[in-house]
Amino acid sequence: MTLTTPIDAGSRPAADAAVRALTTAVTRVHLPGTEAYARLTATQNLATPVQPVAVVEALDATEVATTLRLAAEADVPVAVQGTGHGVTDAMTGALLVHTASLDELTVDPVLRRARIGAGVRWGAVLDAAVPHGLAPVCGSSLHVGVAGFLTGGGVGPLARSHGLSSDYVHAFEVVTGDGVVRRASRTEHPDLFWGLRGGKGALGIVTAVELDLAPVAEVYGGALWFAAEDATPVVRTWSVWADLLPTQATTSLAVLRLPDLDLVPPPLRGRTVVCVRFVWTGAPDEGEELVRAMRAVGEPLIDSVAVLPYAAIGSVHADPDDPMPTSESSFLLEDFGPEAVERFLDLVGPHVPSPQLMVEVRQLGGAVRSGDDCAFAHRDAPFSVFTAGFAMPETADLVAGDARRIAQGLAPWAREGSMPNFTTGGGSSWVERAYPAPVAARLRELSVAYDPAGVLLAARRLRG
Ligand SMILES: Cc1cc2nc3c(=O)[nH]c(=O)nc-3n(C[C@H](O)[C@H](O)[C@H](O)COP(=O)(O)OP(=O)(O)OC[C@H]3O[C@@H](n4cnc5c(N)ncnc54)[C@H](O)[C@@H]3O)c2cc1C
């Protein structure tokens, strides 16, 4: 047992009692004021700090189960965090189960399957799978955690060719809110398996994932970075071009207003640019032929589209790894045809003063539409939009207001909802945006069955 400081006299008595009980029942409990607490409560988005009453650094599923049972007895909610990339709640008054130490990772090249602890990030899975010519169907950033990503469905650079990442989950090992360790798959607790693929942490704390791997050693892909002057023809062409692409191609487009900082490559530093991302899983010469139409629009500042080892898939989006304060928003589009494109350019084109660092349109469709039913409810959405801007205390309202301006401007082409992995904010409005009413109702039923005491923090926002 490690208890790093005395219990904070200011915290709730019920929470104090739960923390005291935990210190004798699990190995590592970290309290505010300690280095471990500070490290494990760190978030990627510095504008969304978390302040749980204590952090349980779980060493195995049994410790997670013990934590959930003791917390339920004391009526203290429990949150979960692996990396801090997707925080939607401040965790005030809650206990945090941190999964960083659940770091098992094995690859079975014959079965083409990995067993991945809940604390593992995509980058580590790539390192383990790529030597076998196998690929996890991961997200754009290799810094993101596997469990958090998969419980949100997961739409990455292979989305249109290979589908939703959670379609590759063979089984979850999960501790449900009732403190029972369970295995959920298409044949074991299939209702739970349905809910874990999209339901985030509402039904349980995943401790490990068995994930099927795809036989992809390399792709033809990368990014074309165009100057602001080319923005109008690039966006117009992309919309028509993307519509014609076979499903072996996954593409997105982003307007970026990049800071004048060393972390940005010199040709892009301090500039507004339009980036077209492209990943093709067919023959490279066919991919090259397809990209010709985009290359013809203008002379890119950077053209990284080439045969790409899957190990380098993170370079396509080149998401920043360093924590920063951001204000983010997301929504779905039904259509990104000519009228929507003109409105998009009016709203976020380089001539418009906007505090957004990035406004991104991802084309979905293809294999995202297939796959079995699960709590990820947006398989048929054609496009998603994501905005992110620097949110210093003095600019946060400005950035959020600008995101609303963009969403309102594109409202004629929008559809209800947003993907769980990109849905920001907290509370019941989070649930309304992430799930259509029937999906939320089914998750609620499952939550009552698997977490009767409603101990999971995410269950509380679902059940109101
Ligand atoms: C740079 C960047 C790029 C991204 N790219 C993509 C992308 O391409 N596609 C996409 O779909 N998403 C993408 N996302 C969103 C990302 O998938 C979500 O933010 C996801 O929640 C991050 O999971 P995490 O475990 O890393 O984060 P954490 O903050 O640790 O967890 C976030 C949430 O995930 C759930 N969760 C985490 N661990 C567990 C667990 N063990 N059991 C149950 N629930 C758990 C909980 O609800 C938790 O609140 C991106 C995010 C970032 C920051």
Side-chain angles (χ1 to χ4, degrees):
M1 185 270 287
T2 310
L3 179 60
T4 33
T5 64
I7 292 168
D8 175 10
S11 60
R12 281 200 307 142
D16 287 356
V19 173
R20 276 183 214 288
L22 278 167
T23 56
T24 59
V26 299
T27 315
R28 293 180 190 161
V29 180
H30 305 296
L31 296 175
T34 63
E35 178 281 324
Y37 179 98
R39 177 169 41 82
L40 296 174
T41 54
T43 58
Q44 183 72 7
N45 182 351
L46 300 175
T48 58
V50 297
Q51 289 178 313
V53 291
V55 180
V56 173
E57 187 183 353
L59 299 188
D60 56 28
T62 307
E63 291 203 339
V64 176
T66 303
T67 305
L68 284 166
R69 285 184 186 164
L70 288 174
E73 279 168 24
D75 191 26
V76 177
V78 178
V80 57
Q81 182 162 309
T83 70
H85 273 78
V87 170
T88 55
D89 196 292
M91 303 181 192
T92 313
L95 279 166
L96 169 61
V97 168
H98 205 286
T99 59
S101 295
L102 302 178
D103 56 359
E104 64 175 305
L105 176 55
T106 52
V107 171
D108 183 333
V110 178
L111 266 185
R112 289 184 181 166
R113 189 171 293 158
R115 183 174 161 92
I116 306 164
V120 175
R121 297 173 192 248
W122 282 120
V125 185
L126 248 83
D127 290 348
V130 158
H132 303 287
L134 297 171
V137 179
C138 57
S140 62
S141 164
L142 305 183
H143 217 240
V144 163
V146 173
F149 184 89
L150 292 173
T151 51
V155 171
L158 296 189
R160 282 167 44 86
S161 59
H162 285 71
L164 204 60
S165 298
S166 62
D167 289 343
Y168 289 79
V169 177
H170 178 72
F172 287 107
E173 179 188 273
V174 57
V175 187
T176 41
D178 53 6
V180 178
V181 183
R182 294 186 156 97
R183 193 180 145 85
S185 68
R186 288 183 176 80
T187 54
E188 299 147 288
H189 301 291
D191 54 350
L192 185 58
F193 190 61
W194 174 90
L196 287 170
R197 291 172 299 150
K200 302 295 289 181
L203 302 178
I205 296 182
V206 170
T207 48
V209 187
E210 292 171 28
L211 187 72
D212 289 333
L213 303 169
V216 178
E218 59 184 29
V219 296
Y220 182 78
L224 302 172
W225 298 81
F226 292 97
E229 303 79 68
D230 294 324
T232 297
V234 167
V235 179
R236 286 178 181 158
T237 306
W238 183 81
S239 135
V240 177
W241 175 76
D243 201 37
L244 296 171
L245 287 176
T247 60
Q248 285 151 295
T250 301
T251 184
S252 61
L253 171 138
V255 176
L256 296 111
R257 290 168 166 80
L258 294 167
D260 189 3
L261 296 175
D262 287 351
L263 58 91
V264 179
L268 309 177
R269 201 172 288 167
R271 297 178 73 158
T272 296
V273 293
V274 181
C275 180
V276 171
R277 294 82 163 248
F278 177 73
V279 173
W280 170 254
T281 55
D285 55 338
E286 292 171 20
E288 191 176 1
E289 189 55 38
L290 287 167
V291 175
R292 200 185 297 276
M294 283 313 310
R295 286 187 165 129
V297 178
E299 183 70 31
L301 299 168
I302 297 178
D303 178 347
S304 69
V305 181
V307 173
L308 190 72
Y310 197 75
I313 194 75
S315 68
V316 175
H317 282 242
D319 293 324
D321 289 343
D322 293 325
M324 59 178 94
T326 53
S327 171
E328 301 171 354
S329 76
S330 90
F331 53 96
L332 299 171
L333 288 182
E334 201 63 73
D335 172 45
F336 197 62
E339 287 180 18
V341 164
E342 296 312 314
R343 184 69 63 84
F344 179 83
L345 287 164
D346 288 347
L347 291 163
V348 303
H351 59 287
V352 183
S354 168
Q356 304 302 334
L357 191 56
M358 177 173 85
V359 180
E360 173 190 74
V361 180
R362 290 193 190 204
Q363 187 195 21
L364 305 173
V368 176
R369 290 178 179 271
S370 49
D372 57 340
D373 186 39
C374 65
F376 177 89
H378 306 294
R379 282 193 188 275
D380 57 345
F383 298 94
S384 69
V385 179
F386 178 75
T387 70
F390 277 126
M392 308 308 284
E394 59 279 15
T395 60
D397 287 347
L398 178 76
V399 178
D402 186 69
R404 283 194 295 278
R405 176 188 68 84
I406 295 167
Q408 282 159 9
L410 289 172
W413 300 276
R415 62 182 275 158
E416 283 290 304
S418 97
M419 293 192 281
N421 272 352
F422 290 108
T423 305
T424 52
S428 56
S429 69
W430 187 95
V431 174
E432 281 161 26
R433 278 177 291 138
Y435 308 112
V439 172
R442 189 166 172 202
L443 280 172
R444 227 170 267 129
E445 272 172 34
L446 289 169
S447 167
V448 171
Y450 284 104
D451 180 14
V455 68
L456 293 163
L457 188 63
R460 295 188 178 199
R461 76 178 168 200
L462 189 65
R463 282 150 71 171

